[in-house]
PDB file of all heavy atoms in Angstrom:
ATOM      1  N   VAL M  35     -11.082  15.342  -0.883  1.00 98.00           N
ATOM      2  CA  VAL M  35     -12.507  15.402  -1.210  1.00 98.00           C
ATOM      3  C   VAL M  35     -12.903  14.060  -1.808  1.00 98.00           C
ATOM      4  O   VAL M  35     -12.273  13.596  -2.763  1.00 98.00           O
ATOM      5  CB  VAL M  35     -12.790  16.534  -2.231  1.00 98.00           C
ATOM      6  CG1 VAL M  35     -14.279  16.613  -2.537  1.00 98.00           C
ATOM      7  CG2 VAL M  35     -12.267  17.876  -1.721  1.00 98.00           C
ATOM      8  N   GLY M  37     -15.331  12.289  -4.051  1.00 98.00           N
ATOM      9  CA  GLY M  37     -16.373  12.529  -5.053  1.00 98.00           C
ATOM     10  C   GLY M  37     -16.122  13.811  -5.826  1.00 98.00           C
ATOM     11  O   GLY M  37     -15.854  14.862  -5.243  1.00 98.00           O
ATOM     12  N   GLY M  38     -16.226  13.705  -7.152  1.00 98.00           N
ATOM     13  CA  GLY M  38     -15.950  14.857  -8.022  1.00 98.00           C
ATOM     14  C   GLY M  38     -17.184  15.364  -8.743  1.00 98.00           C
ATOM     15  O   GLY M  38     -17.084  15.933  -9.830  1.00 98.00           O
ATOM     16  N   GLY M  39     -18.383  15.174  -8.141  1.00 98.00           N
ATOM     17  CA  GLY M  39     -19.608  15.768  -8.698  1.00 98.00           C
ATOM     18  C   GLY M  39     -19.608  17.270  -8.426  1.00 98.00           C
ATOM     19  O   GLY M  39     -18.595  17.838  -7.988  1.00 98.00           O
ATOM     20  N   PRO M  40     -20.735  17.947  -8.659  1.00 98.00           N
ATOM     21  CA  PRO M  40     -20.765  19.406  -8.490  1.00 98.00           C
ATOM     22  C   PRO M  40     -20.343  19.867  -7.092  1.00 98.00           C
ATOM     23  O   PRO M  40     -19.622  20.863  -6.960  1.00 98.00           O
ATOM     24  CB  PRO M  40     -22.231  19.761  -8.756  1.00 98.00           C
ATOM     25  CG  PRO M  40     -22.760  18.642  -9.584  1.00 98.00           C
ATOM     26  CD  PRO M  40     -22.001  17.418  -9.194  1.00 98.00           C
ATOM     27  N   ALA M  41     -20.768  19.157  -6.044  1.00 98.00           N
ATOM     28  CA  ALA M  41     -20.408  19.587  -4.686  1.00 98.00           C
ATOM     29  C   ALA M  41     -18.915  19.390  -4.447  1.00 98.00           C
ATOM     30  O   ALA M  41     -18.231  20.281  -3.920  1.00 98.00           O
ATOM     31  CB  ALA M  41     -21.231  18.816  -3.653  1.00 98.00           C
ATOM     32  N   GLY M  42     -18.387  18.236  -4.852  1.00 98.00           N
ATOM     33  CA  GLY M  42     -16.965  17.945  -4.631  1.00 98.00           C
ATOM     34  C   GLY M  42     -16.071  18.868  -5.428  1.00 98.00           C
ATOM     35  O   GLY M  42     -15.062  19.380  -4.918  1.00 98.00           O
ATOM     36  N   SER M  43     -16.435  19.117  -6.697  1.00 98.00           N
ATOM     37  CA  SER M  43     -15.546  19.974  -7.484  1.00 98.00           C
ATOM     38  C   SER M  43     -15.625  21.414  -6.984  1.00 98.00           C
ATOM     39  O   SER M  43     -14.635  22.147  -7.056  1.00 98.00           O
ATOM     40  CB  SER M  43     -15.820  19.865  -8.986  1.00 98.00           C
ATOM     41  OG  SER M  43     -17.157  20.048  -9.256  1.00 98.00           O
ATOM     42  N   THR M  44     -16.777  21.820  -6.424  1.00 98.00           N
ATOM     43  CA  THR M  44     -16.874  23.188  -5.885  1.00 98.00           C
ATOM     44  C   THR M  44     -15.998  23.353  -4.647  1.00 98.00           C
ATOM     45  O   THR M  44     -15.186  24.287  -4.562  1.00 98.00           O
ATOM     46  CB  THR M  44     -18.342  23.530  -5.536  1.00 98.00           C
ATOM     47  OG1 THR M  44     -19.108  23.492  -6.735  1.00 98.00           O
ATOM     48  CG2 THR M  44     -18.460  24.902  -4.900  1.00 98.00           C
ATOM     49  N   VAL M  45     -16.138  22.447  -3.684  1.00 98.00           N
ATOM     50  CA  VAL M  45     -15.341  22.618  -2.457  1.00 98.00           C
ATOM     51  C   VAL M  45     -13.855  22.486  -2.781  1.00 98.00           C
ATOM     52  O   VAL M  45     -13.015  23.247  -2.276  1.00 98.00           O
ATOM     53  CB  VAL M  45     -15.823  21.665  -1.322  1.00 98.00           C
ATOM     54  CG1 VAL M  45     -15.461  20.223  -1.569  1.00 98.00           C
ATOM     55  CG2 VAL M  45     -15.307  22.110   0.029  1.00 98.00           C
ATOM     56  N   GLY M  46     -13.523  21.564  -3.697  1.00 98.00           N
ATOM     57  CA  GLY M  46     -12.119  21.374  -4.079  1.00 98.00           C
ATOM     58  C   GLY M  46     -11.557  22.597  -4.788  1.00 98.00           C
ATOM     59  O   GLY M  46     -10.456  23.064  -4.491  1.00 98.00           O
ATOM     60  N   ALA M  47     -12.343  23.134  -5.738  1.00 98.00           N
ATOM     61  CA  ALA M  47     -11.878  24.295  -6.514  1.00 98.00           C
ATOM     62  C   ALA M  47     -11.639  25.497  -5.603  1.00 98.00           C
ATOM     63  O   ALA M  47     -10.610  26.172  -5.692  1.00 98.00           O
ATOM     64  CB  ALA M  47     -12.919  24.651  -7.579  1.00 98.00           C
ATOM     65  N   LEU M  48     -12.596  25.764  -4.716  1.00 98.00           N
ATOM     66  CA  LEU M  48     -12.498  26.981  -3.899  1.00 98.00           C
ATOM     67  C   LEU M  48     -11.362  26.887  -2.878  1.00 98.00           C
ATOM     68  O   LEU M  48     -10.678  27.876  -2.603  1.00 98.00           O
ATOM     69  CB  LEU M  48     -13.836  27.258  -3.209  1.00 98.00           C
ATOM     70  CG  LEU M  48     -14.983  27.612  -4.174  1.00 98.00           C
ATOM     71  CD1 LEU M  48     -16.309  27.695  -3.425  1.00 98.00           C
ATOM     72  CD2 LEU M  48     -14.704  28.929  -4.903  1.00 98.00           C
ATOM     73  N   LEU M  49     -11.149  25.694  -2.327  1.00 98.00           N
ATOM     74  CA  LEU M  49     -10.049  25.549  -1.367  1.00 98.00           C
ATOM     75  C   LEU M  49      -8.698  25.636  -2.072  1.00 98.00           C
ATOM     76  O   LEU M  49      -7.749  26.232  -1.552  1.00 98.00           O
ATOM     77  CB  LEU M  49     -10.182  24.232  -0.602  1.00 98.00           C
ATOM     78  CG  LEU M  49     -11.243  24.265   0.500  1.00 98.00           C
ATOM     79  CD1 LEU M  49     -11.606  22.859   0.955  1.00 98.00           C
ATOM     80  CD2 LEU M  49     -10.754  25.093   1.692  1.00 98.00           C
ATOM     81  N   ALA M  50      -8.623  25.056  -3.276  1.00 98.00           N
ATOM     82  CA  ALA M  50      -7.367  25.148  -4.029  1.00 98.00           C
ATOM     83  C   ALA M  50      -7.098  26.605  -4.399  1.00 98.00           C
ATOM     84  O   ALA M  50      -5.971  27.096  -4.282  1.00 98.00           O
ATOM     85  CB  ALA M  50      -7.449  24.274  -5.277  1.00 98.00           C
ATOM     86  N   LYS M  51      -8.157  27.295  -4.808  1.00 97.00           N
ATOM     87  CA  LYS M  51      -8.024  28.711  -5.176  1.00 97.00           C
ATOM     88  C   LYS M  51      -7.530  29.530  -3.979  1.00 97.00           C
ATOM     89  O   LYS M  51      -6.791  30.507  -4.131  1.00 97.00           O
ATOM     90  CB  LYS M  51      -9.396  29.219  -5.636  1.00 97.00           C
ATOM     91  CG  LYS M  51      -9.397  30.545  -6.334  1.00 97.00           C
ATOM     92  CD  LYS M  51     -10.810  30.877  -6.811  1.00 97.00           C
ATOM     93  CE  LYS M  51     -10.911  32.327  -7.246  1.00 97.00           C
ATOM     94  NZ  LYS M  51     -12.281  32.821  -7.186  1.00 97.00           N
ATOM     95  N   VAL M  56      -5.188  20.321  -2.119  1.00 98.00           N
ATOM     96  CA  VAL M  56      -6.448  19.569  -2.196  1.00 98.00           C
ATOM     97  C   VAL M  56      -6.306  18.380  -3.136  1.00 98.00           C
ATOM     98  O   VAL M  56      -5.740  18.509  -4.227  1.00 98.00           O
ATOM     99  CB  VAL M  56      -7.576  20.487  -2.752  1.00 98.00           C
ATOM    100  CG1 VAL M  56      -8.878  19.710  -2.921  1.00 98.00           C
ATOM    101  CG2 VAL M  56      -7.792  21.694  -1.852  1.00 98.00           C
ATOM    102  N   ILE M  58      -8.886  15.614  -4.981  1.00 98.00           N
ATOM    103  CA  ILE M  58     -10.256  15.137  -5.221  1.00 98.00           C
ATOM    104  C   ILE M  58     -10.164  13.712  -5.759  1.00 98.00           C
ATOM    105  O   ILE M  58      -9.477  13.468  -6.761  1.00 98.00           O
ATOM    106  CB  ILE M  58     -10.998  16.029  -6.249  1.00 98.00           C
ATOM    107  CG1 ILE M  58     -11.055  17.486  -5.767  1.00 98.00           C
ATOM    108  CG2 ILE M  58     -12.405  15.491  -6.515  1.00 98.00           C
ATOM    109  CD1 ILE M  58     -11.707  18.460  -6.768  1.00 98.00           C
ATOM    110  N   LEU M  84     -16.697  31.080  -9.580  1.00 97.00           N
ATOM    111  CA  LEU M  84     -15.852  30.040 -10.176  1.00 97.00           C
ATOM    112  C   LEU M  84     -15.424  30.385 -11.605  1.00 97.00           C
ATOM    113  O   LEU M  84     -14.707  29.609 -12.241  1.00 97.00           O
ATOM    114  CB  LEU M  84     -16.597  28.695 -10.178  1.00 97.00           C
ATOM    115  CG  LEU M  84     -16.782  28.028  -8.814  1.00 97.00           C
ATOM    116  CD1 LEU M  84     -17.735  26.839  -8.914  1.00 97.00           C
ATOM    117  CD2 LEU M  84     -15.441  27.576  -8.227  1.00 97.00           C
ATOM    118  N   LEU M  86     -17.352  30.580 -14.354  1.00 98.00           N
ATOM    119  CA  LEU M  86     -17.913  29.639 -15.327  1.00 98.00           C
ATOM    120  C   LEU M  86     -19.111  30.165 -16.114  1.00 98.00           C
ATOM    121  O   LEU M  86     -19.610  29.470 -17.002  1.00 98.00           O
ATOM    122  CB  LEU M  86     -18.330  28.347 -14.599  1.00 98.00           C
ATOM    123  CG  LEU M  86     -17.175  27.462 -14.117  1.00 98.00           C
ATOM    124  CD1 LEU M  86     -17.700  26.320 -13.259  1.00 98.00           C
ATOM    125  CD2 LEU M  86     -16.396  26.910 -15.306  1.00 98.00           C
ATOM    126  N   ASP M 134     -20.657  18.273 -15.301  1.00 98.00           N
ATOM    127  CA  ASP M 134     -19.818  17.818 -14.188  1.00 98.00           C
ATOM    128  C   ASP M 134     -18.344  17.777 -14.599  1.00 98.00           C
ATOM    129  O   ASP M 134     -17.447  18.073 -13.796  1.00 98.00           O
ATOM    130  CB  ASP M 134     -20.280  16.434 -13.697  1.00 98.00           C
ATOM    131  CG  ASP M 134     -21.611  16.504 -12.941  1.00 98.00           C
ATOM    132  OD1 ASP M 134     -22.297  17.547 -13.031  1.00 98.00           O
ATOM    133  OD2 ASP M 134     -21.981  15.519 -12.275  1.00 98.00           O
ATOM    134  N   GLU M 135     -18.104  17.422 -15.875  1.00 98.00           N
ATOM    135  CA  GLU M 135     -16.718  17.403 -16.357  1.00 98.00           C
ATOM    136  C   GLU M 135     -16.147  18.827 -16.397  1.00 98.00           C
ATOM    137  O   GLU M 135     -15.000  19.067 -16.003  1.00 98.00           O
ATOM    138  CB  GLU M 135     -16.663  16.764 -17.749  1.00 98.00           C
ATOM    139  CG  GLU M 135     -15.245  16.517 -18.221  1.00 98.00           C
ATOM    140  CD  GLU M 135     -15.197  15.812 -19.566  1.00 98.00           C
ATOM    141  OE1 GLU M 135     -16.086  16.057 -20.408  1.00 98.00           O
ATOM    142  OE2 GLU M 135     -14.256  15.027 -19.774  1.00 98.00           O
ATOM    143  N   LEU M 136     -16.988  19.766 -16.830  1.00 98.00           N
ATOM    144  CA  LEU M 136     -16.563  21.179 -16.864  1.00 98.00           C
ATOM    145  C   LEU M 136     -16.182  21.653 -15.459  1.00 98.00           C
ATOM    146  O   LEU M 136     -15.149  22.304 -15.250  1.00 98.00           O
ATOM    147  CB  LEU M 136     -17.723  22.023 -17.421  1.00 98.00           C
ATOM    148  CG  LEU M 136     -17.556  23.539 -17.430  1.00 98.00           C
ATOM    149  CD1 LEU M 136     -16.553  23.952 -18.494  1.00 98.00           C
ATOM    150  CD2 LEU M 136     -18.899  24.231 -17.706  1.00 98.00           C
ATOM    151  N   MET M 137     -17.020  21.308 -14.487  1.00 98.00           N
ATOM    152  CA  MET M 137     -16.765  21.728 -13.095  1.00 98.00           C
ATOM    153  C   MET M 137     -15.481  21.084 -12.557  1.00 98.00           C
ATOM    154  O   MET M 137     -14.690  21.730 -11.869  1.00 98.00           O
ATOM    155  CB  MET M 137     -17.934  21.307 -12.186  1.00 98.00           C
ATOM    156  CG  MET M 137     -19.266  21.941 -12.489  1.00 98.00           C
ATOM    157  SD  MET M 137     -19.512  23.500 -11.631  1.00 98.00           S
ATOM    158  CE  MET M 137     -19.662  22.999  -9.942  1.00 98.00           C
ATOM    159  N   LEU M 138     -15.298  19.797 -12.864  1.00 98.00           N
ATOM    160  CA  LEU M 138     -14.119  19.095 -12.339  1.00 98.00           C
ATOM    161  C   LEU M 138     -12.840  19.622 -13.003  1.00 98.00           C
ATOM    162  O   LEU M 138     -11.820  19.828 -12.336  1.00 98.00           O
ATOM    163  CB  LEU M 138     -14.277  17.580 -12.557  1.00 98.00           C
ATOM    164  CG  LEU M 138     -13.299  16.683 -11.807  1.00 98.00           C
ATOM    165  CD1 LEU M 138     -13.375  16.894 -10.298  1.00 98.00           C
ATOM    166  CD2 LEU M 138     -13.551  15.207 -12.126  1.00 98.00           C
ATOM    167  N   ASP M 139     -12.921  19.869 -14.306  1.00 98.00           N
ATOM    168  CA  ASP M 139     -11.756  20.436 -15.004  1.00 98.00           C
ATOM    169  C   ASP M 139     -11.413  21.811 -14.441  1.00 98.00           C
ATOM    170  O   ASP M 139     -10.248  22.182 -14.327  1.00 98.00           O
ATOM    171  CB  ASP M 139     -12.035  20.566 -16.512  1.00 98.00           C
ATOM    172  CG  ASP M 139     -11.885  19.226 -17.218  1.00 98.00           C
ATOM    173  OD1 ASP M 139     -11.319  18.295 -16.604  1.00 98.00           O
ATOM    174  OD2 ASP M 139     -12.350  19.104 -18.365  1.00 98.00           O
ATOM    175  N   ASN M 140     -12.451  22.553 -14.084  1.00 98.00           N
ATOM    176  CA  ASN M 140     -12.226  23.882 -13.515  1.00 98.00           C
ATOM    177  C   ASN M 140     -11.509  23.777 -12.162  1.00 98.00           C
ATOM    178  O   ASN M 140     -10.639  24.581 -11.841  1.00 98.00           O
ATOM    179  CB  ASN M 140     -13.574  24.599 -13.367  1.00 98.00           C
ATOM    180  CG  ASN M 140     -13.414  26.083 -13.167  1.00 98.00           C
ATOM    181  OD1 ASN M 140     -12.710  26.738 -13.927  1.00 98.00           O
ATOM    182  ND2 ASN M 140     -14.029  26.617 -12.123  1.00 98.00           N
ATOM    183  N   ALA M 141     -11.880  22.754 -11.387  1.00 98.00           N
ATOM    184  CA  ALA M 141     -11.199  22.542 -10.099  1.00 98.00           C
ATOM    185  C   ALA M 141      -9.711  22.268 -10.343  1.00 98.00           C
ATOM    186  O   ALA M 141      -8.840  22.778  -9.634  1.00 98.00           O
ATOM    187  CB  ALA M 141     -11.850  21.386  -9.344  1.00 98.00           C
ATOM    188  N   ARG M 142      -9.441  21.468 -11.385  1.00 98.00           N
ATOM    189  CA  ARG M 142      -8.030  21.193 -11.749  1.00 98.00           C
ATOM    190  C   ARG M 142      -7.305  22.494 -12.084  1.00 98.00           C
ATOM    191  O   ARG M 142      -6.212  22.751 -11.602  1.00 98.00           O
ATOM    192  CB  ARG M 142      -7.980  20.318 -13.006  1.00 98.00           C
ATOM    193  CG  ARG M 142      -8.009  18.850 -12.754  1.00 98.00           C
ATOM    194  CD  ARG M 142      -7.654  18.105 -14.052  1.00 98.00           C
ATOM    195  NE  ARG M 142      -7.907  16.700 -13.872  1.00 98.00           N
ATOM    196  CZ  ARG M 142      -9.020  16.082 -14.270  1.00 98.00           C
ATOM    197  NH1 ARG M 142      -9.980  16.741 -14.880  1.00 98.00           N
ATOM    198  NH2 ARG M 142      -9.173  14.794 -14.045  1.00 98.00           N
ATOM    199  N   LYS M 143      -7.985  23.296 -12.931  1.00 98.00           N
ATOM    200  CA  LYS M 143      -7.352  24.558 -13.366  1.00 98.00           C
ATOM    201  C   LYS M 143      -7.051  25.454 -12.180  1.00 98.00           C
ATOM    202  O   LYS M 143      -6.070  26.183 -12.165  1.00 98.00           O
ATOM    203  CB  LYS M 143      -8.285  25.309 -14.322  1.00 98.00           C
ATOM    204  CG  LYS M 143      -8.170  24.837 -15.741  1.00 98.00           C
ATOM    205  CD  LYS M 143      -8.985  25.733 -16.669  1.00 98.00           C
ATOM    206  CE  LYS M 143      -9.409  24.920 -17.882  1.00 98.00           C
ATOM    207  NZ  LYS M 143     -10.797  25.101 -18.254  1.00 98.00           N
ATOM    208  N   LEU M 144      -7.920  25.403 -11.176  1.00 97.00           N
ATOM    209  CA  LEU M 144      -7.724  26.279 -10.013  1.00 97.00           C
ATOM    210  C   LEU M 144      -6.727  25.688  -9.011  1.00 97.00           C
ATOM    211  O   LEU M 144      -6.491  26.257  -7.953  1.00 97.00           O
ATOM    212  CB  LEU M 144      -9.073  26.565  -9.349  1.00 97.00           C
ATOM    213  CG  LEU M 144      -9.995  27.463 -10.192  1.00 97.00           C
ATOM    214  CD1 LEU M 144     -11.394  27.532  -9.605  1.00 97.00           C
ATOM    215  CD2 LEU M 144      -9.419  28.875 -10.315  1.00 97.00           C
ATOM    216  N   GLY M 145      -6.188  24.511  -9.336  1.00 97.00           N
ATOM    217  CA  GLY M 145      -5.078  24.000  -8.522  1.00 97.00           C
ATOM    218  C   GLY M 145      -5.356  22.735  -7.735  1.00 97.00           C
ATOM    219  O   GLY M 145      -4.467  22.241  -7.032  1.00 97.00           O
ATOM    220  N   ALA M 146      -6.578  22.185  -7.839  1.00 98.00           N
ATOM    221  CA  ALA M 146      -6.835  20.930  -7.116  1.00 98.00           C
ATOM    222  C   ALA M 146      -6.217  19.769  -7.897  1.00 98.00           C
ATOM    223  O   ALA M 146      -6.237  19.766  -9.130  1.00 98.00           O
ATOM    224  CB  ALA M 146      -8.336  20.712  -6.963  1.00 98.00           C
ATOM    225  N   GLU M 147      -5.687  18.808  -7.165  1.00 97.00           N
ATOM    226  CA  GLU M 147      -5.211  17.585  -7.805  1.00 97.00           C
ATOM    227  C   GLU M 147      -6.423  16.668  -7.909  1.00 97.00           C
ATOM    228  O   GLU M 147      -7.164  16.524  -6.927  1.00 97.00           O
ATOM    229  CB  GLU M 147      -4.160  16.964  -6.896  1.00 97.00           C
ATOM    230  CG  GLU M 147      -3.216  16.012  -7.564  1.00 97.00           C
ATOM    231  CD  GLU M 147      -2.179  15.518  -6.558  1.00 97.00           C
ATOM    232  OE1 GLU M 147      -1.590  16.347  -5.825  1.00 97.00           O
ATOM    233  OE2 GLU M 147      -2.013  14.306  -6.488  1.00 97.00           O
ATOM    234  N   VAL M 148      -6.649  16.088  -9.086  1.00 98.00           N
ATOM    235  CA  VAL M 148      -7.842  15.255  -9.269  1.00 98.00           C
ATOM    236  C   VAL M 148      -7.408  13.869  -9.713  1.00 98.00           C
ATOM    237  O   VAL M 148      -6.603  13.736 -10.632  1.00 98.00           O
ATOM    238  CB  VAL M 148      -8.782  15.854 -10.348  1.00 98.00           C
ATOM    239  CG1 VAL M 148      -9.997  14.945 -10.568  1.00 98.00           C
ATOM    240  CG2 VAL M 148      -9.238  17.262  -9.957  1.00 98.00           C
TER     241      VAL M 148
END
Side-chain angles (χ1 to χ4, degrees):
V35 182
S43 51
T44 297
V45 72
L48 294 173
L49 283 164
K51 193 176 168 203
V56 177
I58 302 177
L84 289 170
L86 288 172
D134 288 14
E135 189 177 34
L136 175 72
M137 296 272 291
L138 193 58
D139 281 346
N140 196 51
R142 271 192 190 97
K143 276 187 207 135
L144 290 171
E147 201 177 312
V148 178

